[in-house]
PDB file of all heavy atoms in Angstrom:
ATOM      1  N   PHE A   1       4.592   0.663  -2.184  1.00 93.00           N
ATOM      2  CA  PHE A   1       4.492  -0.340  -1.124  1.00 93.00           C
ATOM      3  C   PHE A   1       4.436   0.378   0.207  1.00 93.00           C
ATOM      4  O   PHE A   1       5.084   1.416   0.398  1.00 93.00           O
ATOM      5  CB  PHE A   1       5.701  -1.286  -1.172  1.00 93.00           C
ATOM      6  CG  PHE A   1       5.582  -2.487  -0.273  1.00 93.00           C
ATOM      7  CD1 PHE A   1       4.888  -3.613  -0.679  1.00 93.00           C
ATOM      8  CD2 PHE A   1       6.161  -2.489   0.980  1.00 93.00           C
ATOM      9  CE1 PHE A   1       4.783  -4.721   0.143  1.00 93.00           C
ATOM     10  CE2 PHE A   1       6.062  -3.588   1.815  1.00 93.00           C
ATOM     11  CZ  PHE A   1       5.366  -4.706   1.389  1.00 93.00           C
ATOM     12  N   TYR A   2       3.677  -0.189   1.150  1.00 92.00           N
ATOM     13  CA  TYR A   2       3.440   0.436   2.440  1.00 92.00           C
ATOM     14  C   TYR A   2       3.884  -0.506   3.541  1.00 92.00           C
ATOM     15  O   TYR A   2       3.489  -1.673   3.558  1.00 92.00           O
ATOM     16  CB  TYR A   2       1.950   0.772   2.551  1.00 92.00           C
ATOM     17  CG  TYR A   2       1.493   1.272   3.887  1.00 92.00           C
ATOM     18  CD1 TYR A   2       2.156   2.315   4.526  1.00 92.00           C
ATOM     19  CD2 TYR A   2       0.372   0.724   4.502  1.00 92.00           C
ATOM     20  CE1 TYR A   2       1.719   2.784   5.749  1.00 92.00           C
ATOM     21  CE2 TYR A   2      -0.070   1.184   5.721  1.00 92.00           C
ATOM     22  CZ  TYR A   2       0.607   2.220   6.343  1.00 92.00           C
ATOM     23  OH  TYR A   2       0.177   2.684   7.554  1.00 92.00           O
ATOM     24  N   ILE A   3       4.727  -0.025   4.455  1.00 95.00           N
ATOM     25  CA  ILE A   3       5.251  -0.858   5.532  1.00 95.00           C
ATOM     26  C   ILE A   3       4.237  -0.960   6.666  1.00 95.00           C
ATOM     27  O   ILE A   3       3.829   0.049   7.250  1.00 95.00           O
ATOM     28  CB  ILE A   3       6.580  -0.289   6.068  1.00 95.00           C
ATOM     29  CG1 ILE A   3       7.631  -0.251   4.958  1.00 95.00           C
ATOM     30  CG2 ILE A   3       7.084  -1.122   7.247  1.00 95.00           C
ATOM     31  CD1 ILE A   3       8.031  -1.602   4.416  1.00 95.00           C
ATOM     32  N   THR A   4       3.839  -2.199   6.988  1.00 94.00           N
ATOM     33  CA  THR A   4       2.836  -2.423   8.029  1.00 94.00           C
ATOM     34  C   THR A   4       3.368  -3.219   9.216  1.00 94.00           C
ATOM     35  O   THR A   4       2.637  -3.430  10.184  1.00 94.00           O
ATOM     36  CB  THR A   4       1.623  -3.179   7.444  1.00 94.00           C
ATOM     37  OG1 THR A   4       2.064  -4.432   6.910  1.00 94.00           O
ATOM     38  CG2 THR A   4       0.956  -2.360   6.347  1.00 94.00           C
ATOM     39  N   SER A   5       4.615  -3.690   9.147  1.00 95.00           N
ATOM     40  CA  SER A   5       5.170  -4.451  10.263  1.00 95.00           C
ATOM     41  C   SER A   5       6.582  -3.962  10.557  1.00 95.00           C
ATOM     42  O   SER A   5       7.195  -3.251   9.750  1.00 95.00           O
ATOM     43  CB  SER A   5       5.201  -5.955   9.936  1.00 95.00           C
ATOM     44  OG  SER A   5       6.286  -6.254   9.078  1.00 95.00           O
ATOM     45  N   GLY A   6       7.100  -4.374  11.705  1.00 96.00           N
ATOM     46  CA  GLY A   6       8.417  -3.916  12.131  1.00 96.00           C
ATOM     47  C   GLY A   6       9.554  -4.839  11.756  1.00 96.00           C
ATOM     48  O   GLY A   6      10.654  -4.695  12.309  1.00 96.00           O
ATOM     49  N   SER A   7       9.364  -5.746  10.809  1.00 97.00           N
ATOM     50  CA  SER A   7      10.396  -6.741  10.513  1.00 97.00           C
ATOM     51  C   SER A   7      11.641  -6.155   9.864  1.00 97.00           C
ATOM     52  O   SER A   7      12.687  -6.806   9.828  1.00 97.00           O
ATOM     53  CB  SER A   7       9.824  -7.845   9.622  1.00 97.00           C
ATOM     54  OG  SER A   7       9.528  -7.343   8.335  1.00 97.00           O
ATOM     55  N   MET A   8      11.554  -4.918   9.334  1.00 98.00           N
ATOM     56  CA  MET A   8      12.718  -4.297   8.702  1.00 98.00           C
ATOM     57  C   MET A   8      13.241  -3.096   9.491  1.00 98.00           C
ATOM     58  O   MET A   8      14.036  -2.303   8.982  1.00 98.00           O
ATOM     59  CB  MET A   8      12.374  -3.874   7.274  1.00 98.00           C
ATOM     60  CG  MET A   8      12.317  -5.016   6.276  1.00 98.00           C
ATOM     61  SD  MET A   8      13.916  -5.850   6.050  1.00 98.00           S
ATOM     62  CE  MET A   8      14.854  -4.580   5.209  1.00 98.00           C
ATOM     63  N   GLU A   9      12.789  -2.934  10.734  1.00 97.00           N
ATOM     64  CA  GLU A   9      13.330  -1.844  11.559  1.00 97.00           C
ATOM     65  C   GLU A   9      14.821  -2.076  11.794  1.00 97.00           C
ATOM     66  O   GLU A   9      15.272  -3.220  11.920  1.00 97.00           O
ATOM     67  CB  GLU A   9      12.610  -1.801  12.905  1.00 97.00           C
ATOM     68  CG  GLU A   9      11.158  -1.375  12.807  1.00 97.00           C
ATOM     69  CD  GLU A   9      10.472  -1.341  14.161  1.00 97.00           C
ATOM     70  OE1 GLU A   9      11.074  -1.780  15.165  1.00 97.00           O
ATOM     71  OE2 GLU A   9       9.336  -0.866  14.217  1.00 97.00           O
ATOM     72  N   ASN A  10      15.631  -1.017  11.853  1.00 95.00           N
ATOM     73  CA  ASN A  10      15.246   0.377  11.752  1.00 95.00           C
ATOM     74  C   ASN A  10      15.455   0.937  10.342  1.00 95.00           C
ATOM     75  O   ASN A  10      15.328   2.145  10.124  1.00 95.00           O
ATOM     76  CB  ASN A  10      16.055   1.223  12.735  1.00 95.00           C
ATOM     77  CG  ASN A  10      15.660   0.990  14.166  1.00 95.00           C
ATOM     78  OD1 ASN A  10      14.470   0.959  14.492  1.00 95.00           O
ATOM     79  ND2 ASN A  10      16.641   0.799  15.020  1.00 95.00           N
ATOM     80  N   THR A  11      15.754   0.070   9.390  1.00 97.00           N
ATOM     81  CA  THR A  11      15.927   0.518   8.012  1.00 97.00           C
ATOM     82  C   THR A  11      14.642   1.123   7.487  1.00 97.00           C
ATOM     83  O   THR A  11      14.653   2.188   6.855  1.00 97.00           O
ATOM     84  CB  THR A  11      16.354  -0.658   7.108  1.00 97.00           C
ATOM     85  OG1 THR A  11      17.512  -1.279   7.667  1.00 97.00           O
ATOM     86  CG2 THR A  11      16.650  -0.176   5.707  1.00 97.00           C
ATOM     87  N   MET A  12      13.533   0.445   7.739  1.00 97.00           N
ATOM     88  CA  MET A  12      12.223   0.950   7.358  1.00 97.00           C
ATOM     89  C   MET A  12      11.281   0.800   8.538  1.00 97.00           C
ATOM     90  O   MET A  12      11.358  -0.183   9.280  1.00 97.00           O
ATOM     91  CB  MET A  12      11.702   0.204   6.125  1.00 97.00           C
ATOM     92  CG  MET A  12      12.469   0.561   4.862  1.00 97.00           C
ATOM     93  SD  MET A  12      11.901  -0.320   3.399  1.00 97.00           S
ATOM     94  CE  MET A  12      12.466  -1.956   3.793  1.00 97.00           C
ATOM     95  N   LEU A  13      10.401   1.766   8.684  1.00 97.00           N
ATOM     96  CA  LEU A  13       9.517   1.817   9.832  1.00 97.00           C
ATOM     97  C   LEU A  13       8.067   1.646   9.398  1.00 97.00           C
ATOM     98  O   LEU A  13       7.705   1.941   8.250  1.00 97.00           O
ATOM     99  CB  LEU A  13       9.666   3.159  10.559  1.00 97.00           C
ATOM    100  CG  LEU A  13      11.084   3.546  11.000  1.00 97.00           C
ATOM    101  CD1 LEU A  13      11.062   4.937  11.634  1.00 97.00           C
ATOM    102  CD2 LEU A  13      11.668   2.518  11.960  1.00 97.00           C
ATOM    103  N   VAL A  14       7.248   1.182  10.328  1.00 96.00           N
ATOM    104  CA  VAL A  14       5.807   1.134  10.075  1.00 96.00           C
ATOM    105  C   VAL A  14       5.337   2.552   9.752  1.00 96.00           C
ATOM    106  O   VAL A  14       5.619   3.497  10.488  1.00 96.00           O
ATOM    107  CB  VAL A  14       5.055   0.586  11.300  1.00 96.00           C
ATOM    108  CG1 VAL A  14       3.549   0.680  11.078  1.00 96.00           C
ATOM    109  CG2 VAL A  14       5.472  -0.847  11.586  1.00 96.00           C
ATOM    110  N   GLY A  15       4.649   2.685   8.639  1.00 97.00           N
ATOM    111  CA  GLY A  15       4.210   4.003   8.199  1.00 97.00           C
ATOM    112  C   GLY A  15       5.055   4.587   7.085  1.00 97.00           C
ATOM    113  O   GLY A  15       4.759   5.672   6.597  1.00 97.00           O
ATOM    114  N   ASP A  16       6.105   3.875   6.654  1.00 97.00           N
ATOM    115  CA  ASP A  16       6.888   4.299   5.496  1.00 97.00           C
ATOM    116  C   ASP A  16       6.160   3.888   4.216  1.00 97.00           C
ATOM    117  O   ASP A  16       5.665   2.753   4.107  1.00 97.00           O
ATOM    118  CB  ASP A  16       8.269   3.655   5.493  1.00 97.00           C
ATOM    119  CG  ASP A  16       9.234   4.297   6.473  1.00 97.00           C
ATOM    120  OD1 ASP A  16       8.903   5.359   7.033  1.00 97.00           O
ATOM    121  OD2 ASP A  16      10.329   3.739   6.675  1.00 97.00           O
ATOM    122  N   PHE A  17       6.129   4.790   3.247  1.00 97.00           N
ATOM    123  CA  PHE A  17       5.579   4.504   1.922  1.00 97.00           C
ATOM    124  C   PHE A  17       6.749   4.475   0.935  1.00 97.00           C
ATOM    125  O   PHE A  17       7.533   5.426   0.873  1.00 97.00           O
ATOM    126  CB  PHE A  17       4.569   5.572   1.499  1.00 97.00           C
ATOM    127  CG  PHE A  17       3.282   5.535   2.271  1.00 97.00           C
ATOM    128  CD1 PHE A  17       3.227   5.963   3.590  1.00 97.00           C
ATOM    129  CD2 PHE A  17       2.114   5.078   1.678  1.00 97.00           C
ATOM    130  CE1 PHE A  17       2.037   5.941   4.307  1.00 97.00           C
ATOM    131  CE2 PHE A  17       0.923   5.049   2.370  1.00 97.00           C
ATOM    132  CZ  PHE A  17       0.877   5.479   3.698  1.00 97.00           C
ATOM    133  N   LEU A  18       6.848   3.408   0.157  1.00 96.00           N
ATOM    134  CA  LEU A  18       8.025   3.165  -0.666  1.00 96.00           C
ATOM    135  C   LEU A  18       7.701   3.210  -2.153  1.00 96.00           C
ATOM    136  O   LEU A  18       6.603   2.841  -2.578  1.00 96.00           O
ATOM    137  CB  LEU A  18       8.611   1.781  -0.350  1.00 96.00           C
ATOM    138  CG  LEU A  18       8.774   1.403   1.123  1.00 96.00           C
ATOM    139  CD1 LEU A  18       9.217  -0.048   1.232  1.00 96.00           C
ATOM    140  CD2 LEU A  18       9.751   2.332   1.823  1.00 96.00           C
ATOM    141  N   VAL A  19       8.698   3.625  -2.932  1.00 95.00           N
ATOM    142  CA  VAL A  19       8.654   3.462  -4.383  1.00 95.00           C
ATOM    143  C   VAL A  19       9.557   2.284  -4.736  1.00 95.00           C
ATOM    144  O   VAL A  19      10.715   2.228  -4.304  1.00 95.00           O
ATOM    145  CB  VAL A  19       9.119   4.730  -5.114  1.00 95.00           C
ATOM    146  CG1 VAL A  19       9.328   4.456  -6.600  1.00 95.00           C
ATOM    147  CG2 VAL A  19       8.102   5.846  -4.929  1.00 95.00           C
ATOM    148  N   VAL A  20       9.025   1.349  -5.493  1.00 95.00           N
ATOM    149  CA  VAL A  20       9.730   0.120  -5.852  1.00 95.00           C
ATOM    150  C   VAL A  20       9.991   0.116  -7.352  1.00 95.00           C
ATOM    151  O   VAL A  20       9.075   0.318  -8.156  1.00 95.00           O
ATOM    152  CB  VAL A  20       8.899  -1.128  -5.460  1.00 95.00           C
ATOM    153  CG1 VAL A  20       9.616  -2.409  -5.868  1.00 95.00           C
ATOM    154  CG2 VAL A  20       8.616  -1.105  -3.966  1.00 95.00           C
ATOM    155  N   ASN A  21      11.235  -0.117  -7.727  1.00 92.00           N
ATOM    156  CA  ASN A  21      11.636  -0.178  -9.134  1.00 92.00           C
ATOM    157  C   ASN A  21      11.431  -1.600  -9.648  1.00 92.00           C
ATOM    158  O   ASN A  21      12.196  -2.506  -9.313  1.00 92.00           O
ATOM    159  CB  ASN A  21      13.100   0.243  -9.259  1.00 92.00           C
ATOM    160  CG  ASN A  21      13.574   0.303 -10.697  1.00 92.00           C
ATOM    161  OD1 ASN A  21      12.934  -0.231 -11.599  1.00 92.00           O
ATOM    162  ND2 ASN A  21      14.700   0.954 -10.914  1.00 92.00           N
ATOM    163  N   ARG A  22      10.418  -1.785 -10.465  1.00 91.00           N
ATOM    164  CA  ARG A  22      10.135  -3.109 -11.014  1.00 91.00           C
ATOM    165  C   ARG A  22      10.976  -3.414 -12.245  1.00 91.00           C
ATOM    166  O   ARG A  22      11.155  -4.581 -12.608  1.00 91.00           O
ATOM    167  CB  ARG A  22       8.657  -3.215 -11.382  1.00 91.00           C
ATOM    168  CG  ARG A  22       7.702  -2.906 -10.251  1.00 91.00           C
ATOM    169  CD  ARG A  22       6.282  -3.221 -10.606  1.00 91.00           C
ATOM    170  NE  ARG A  22       6.030  -4.651 -10.506  1.00 91.00           N
ATOM    171  CZ  ARG A  22       4.806  -5.177 -10.460  1.00 91.00           C
ATOM    172  NH1 ARG A  22       3.754  -4.396 -10.523  1.00 91.00           N
ATOM    173  NH2 ARG A  22       4.648  -6.470 -10.376  1.00 91.00           N
ATOM    174  N   ALA A  23      11.485  -2.382 -12.898  1.00 88.00           N
ATOM    175  CA  ALA A  23      12.218  -2.587 -14.147  1.00 88.00           C
ATOM    176  C   ALA A  23      13.547  -3.291 -13.927  1.00 88.00           C
ATOM    177  O   ALA A  23      14.102  -3.865 -14.860  1.00 88.00           O
ATOM    178  CB  ALA A  23      12.448  -1.247 -14.841  1.00 88.00           C
ATOM    179  N   VAL A  24      14.072  -3.255 -12.699  1.00 87.00           N
ATOM    180  CA  VAL A  24      15.345  -3.920 -12.420  1.00 87.00           C
ATOM    181  C   VAL A  24      15.248  -5.412 -12.724  1.00 87.00           C
ATOM    182  O   VAL A  24      16.105  -5.989 -13.400  1.00 87.00           O
ATOM    183  CB  VAL A  24      15.766  -3.713 -10.956  1.00 87.00           C
ATOM    184  CG1 VAL A  24      17.010  -4.529 -10.633  1.00 87.00           C
ATOM    185  CG2 VAL A  24      16.029  -2.244 -10.680  1.00 87.00           C
ATOM    186  N   VAL A  25      14.197  -6.041 -12.190  1.00 86.00           N
ATOM    187  CA  VAL A  25      14.027  -7.483 -12.400  1.00 86.00           C
ATOM    188  C   VAL A  25      13.145  -7.777 -13.609  1.00 86.00           C
ATOM    189  O   VAL A  25      13.034  -8.932 -14.034  1.00 86.00           O
ATOM    190  CB  VAL A  25      13.436  -8.163 -11.145  1.00 86.00           C
ATOM    191  CG1 VAL A  25      14.349  -7.983  -9.960  1.00 86.00           C
ATOM    192  CG2 VAL A  25      12.043  -7.625 -10.814  1.00 86.00           C
ATOM    193  N   GLY A  26      12.516  -6.731 -14.160  1.00 84.00           N
ATOM    194  CA  GLY A  26      11.582  -6.919 -15.260  1.00 84.00           C
ATOM    195  C   GLY A  26      10.188  -7.135 -14.725  1.00 84.00           C
ATOM    196  O   GLY A  26       9.961  -8.035 -13.915  1.00 84.00           O
ATOM    197  N   GLY A  27       9.244  -6.318 -15.140  1.00 77.00           N
ATOM    198  CA  GLY A  27       7.884  -6.452 -14.653  1.00 77.00           C
ATOM    199  C   GLY A  27       7.290  -7.804 -15.002  1.00 77.00           C
ATOM    200  O   GLY A  27       7.519  -8.327 -16.108  1.00 77.00           O
TER     201      GLY A  27
END
């Protein structure tokens, strides 16, 4: 996942690339 907005600043910034664990909730 790629952050494109500032709605989660300062935890995550525009330009952050994330790895998301789908197995937690089940794909």
Side-chain angles (χ1 to χ4, degrees):
F1 190 83
Y2 173 51
I3 299 296
T4 59
S5 78
S7 68
M8 284 296 291
E9 292 180 353
N10 289 314
T11 306
M12 289 179 290
L13 305 177
V14 174
D16 283 350
F17 290 73
L18 314 174
V19 169
V20 178
N21 184 344
R22 305 189 78 164
V24 174
V25 299

